[in-house]
Amino acid sequence: MQFIRSGISFHDHGDHRDIEVGDPAAIDASLTGPRPFHLVEHDGKVVLNYDQGGYAEILDGHALAEGKAEPGRFPQARAHHGFVAPLGGNWLSTVASDEKVEGDASVPRLGLQAFDAEGNPAGDLATCTAIHGEAFSGAYLAAGCKEGVLTVKAGANGPEYKLLPYPADLPQGVTTGTLLGSTGIQVFLGNYGPDGLVVIDPVDEPHYRYIKLPFRRVDFTLDPVKPSTGYALTEDGSLHRIDLLKAEIVASAKVTEPYSMDGHWNDPRPRIAMAGDEIVVTDPNAGLVRRIATEDLSERGTVPVEGKPYNIAVTGGSGVTH
């Protein structure tokens, strides 16, 4: 795994921040291991899970920004597709079954458990069958399960778990496996089946509010500038603005040609990310990154790129330049 320094740095002066912008550059330090997959960044820590290694590596976020990758190792009882995340004074790790599996079959995942930094149990297992996906919002971590969504917050005596079962009025036979956490309000947005989303409130009922999309979902994201707003791209090429407080689509516009969700899951399809007052959309077949205005979902411009642009990440910020 390799890391890139964005070239953007901030200096806090209390009433404002100074910003310095330079050229991005690769960090010399890198990590290697058996199938690195799920990465969690939270509370100043960066944690990378090795699905075939039976361990995770923990990096200090500040040191990494300075170009130093000196990981500590967190051991797991069995290698599996999971994650490790810091919460309070504990480390939360997914836990796998000891059941035998054949070939490349996935190891069954049982739930989430608290451990100390050496991997010793610091609490009981919280059941969350087939646990997948994690996100933080406010005081909570949330993860998708077969039974519902498991929420966790730090308590005086360790992590406090609460499973939010899927209600009977939601479509049956599907689950949540990808979650996004808002940074400005305590709420999560998750996938729910191929053509649905759920707004999840970890505290107040109703815990789930369902949003039916007009076509199958290609990608979705949250707006960090407007915390009650999200966006979803559907396979007909339409971008939809979502009001999380109302749990409904409030505006839509066509931004790309259709991209069918049939075919391999990893085929090149558009991805979206936020950049201030723009949504940037990769358009693999056109070889473009499209800049869409959040105000009216109109196209402001395009960025031609070589090949087929796929995943995209945006880095930036605001501050005073002297």
Side-chain angles (χ1 to χ4, degrees), residues 162-175:
K162 183 177 181 181
L163 180 68
L164 309 177
Y166 299 123
D169 59 351
L170 261 61
Q172 299 300 297
V174 293
T175 63

Side-chain angles (χ1 to χ4, degrees), residues 40 47 74 76 83-88 90-95 112-116 136 141 151-154 158-161:
V40 175
V47 190
F74 178 91
Q76 296 167 316
F83 66 84
V84 175
L87 185 74
N90 298 108
W91 292 93
L92 298 180
S93 175
T94 51
V95 175
L112 200 61
Q113 189 171 2
F115 297 85
D116 63 20
F136 285 90
L141 176 146
T151 65
V152 196
K153 67 175 181 176
E160 298 177 356
Y161 303 93

Side-chain angles (χ1 to χ4, degrees), residues 10-261:
F10 300 96
H11 306 279
D12 193 350
H13 290 267
D15 61 339
H16 73 279
R17 293 192 303 174
D18 290 351
I19 183 172
E20 294 181 12
V21 181
D23 293 331
I27 293 174
D28 290 337
S30 62
L31 300 179
T32 59
R35 199 170 186 264
F37 204 93
H38 201 105
L39 185 145
V40 175
E41 182 182 5
H42 182 67
D43 201 21
K45 302 297 182 183
V46 178
V47 190
L48 179 62
N49 198 87
Y50 291 94
D51 287 4
Q52 295 180 353
Y55 65 92
E57 288 188 316
I58 301 168
L59 296 154
D60 179 86
H62 178 72
L64 185 60
E66 298 296 324
K68 301 174 184 175
E70 300 171 349
R73 181 170 291 199
F74 178 91
Q76 296 167 316
R78 187 179 188 186
H80 66 283
H81 179 59
F83 66 84
V84 175
L87 185 74
N90 298 108
W91 292 93
L92 298 180
S93 175
T94 51
V95 175
S97 163
D98 58 6
E99 176 184 331
K100 286 190 66 175
V101 295
E102 300 294 332
D104 294 329
S106 297
V107 177
R109 299 181 298 277
L110 303 178
L112 200 61
Q113 189 171 2
F115 297 85
D116 63 20
E118 284 71 44
N120 301 307
D124 296 331
L125 176 73
T127 299
C128 179
T129 308
I131 183 170
H132 190 278
E134 56 72 36
F136 285 90
S137 182
Y140 286 86
L141 176 146
C145 322
K146 183 178 180 180
E147 305 88 354
V149 169
L150 181 67
T151 65
V152 196
K153 67 175 181 176
N157 298 312
E160 298 177 356
Y161 303 93
K162 183 177 181 181
L163 180 68
L164 309 177
Y166 299 123
D169 59 351
L170 261 61
Q172 299 300 297
V174 293
T175 63
T176 294
T178 300
L179 289 159
L180 305 176
S182 176
T183 56
I185 56 177
Q186 194 165 260
V187 69
F188 298 90
L189 182 64
N191 67 323
Y192 196 76
D195 58 356
L197 296 168
V198 282
V199 179
I200 302 166
D201 188 321
V203 178
D204 297 322
E205 295 185 354
H207 294 299
Y208 293 91
R209 288 176 296 155
Y210 178 68
I211 303 169
K212 178 73 164 64
L213 299 173
F215 290 89
R216 289 178 292 186
R217 180 191 60 257
V218 178
D219 197 17
F220 67 109
T221 191
L222 292 176
D223 190 336
V225 178
K226 299 176 181 177
S228 63
T229 300
Y231 295 91
L233 185 72
T234 50
E235 64 181 344
D236 66 323
S238 293
L239 184 66
H240 310 277
R241 184 191 299 126
I242 296 166
D243 186 320
L244 300 185
L245 300 181
K246 297 178 180 178
E248 64 183 37
I249 295 171
V250 293
S252 301
K254 201 76 173 292
V255 297
T256 72
E257 66 177 76
Y259 281 84
S260 174
M261 291 303 290

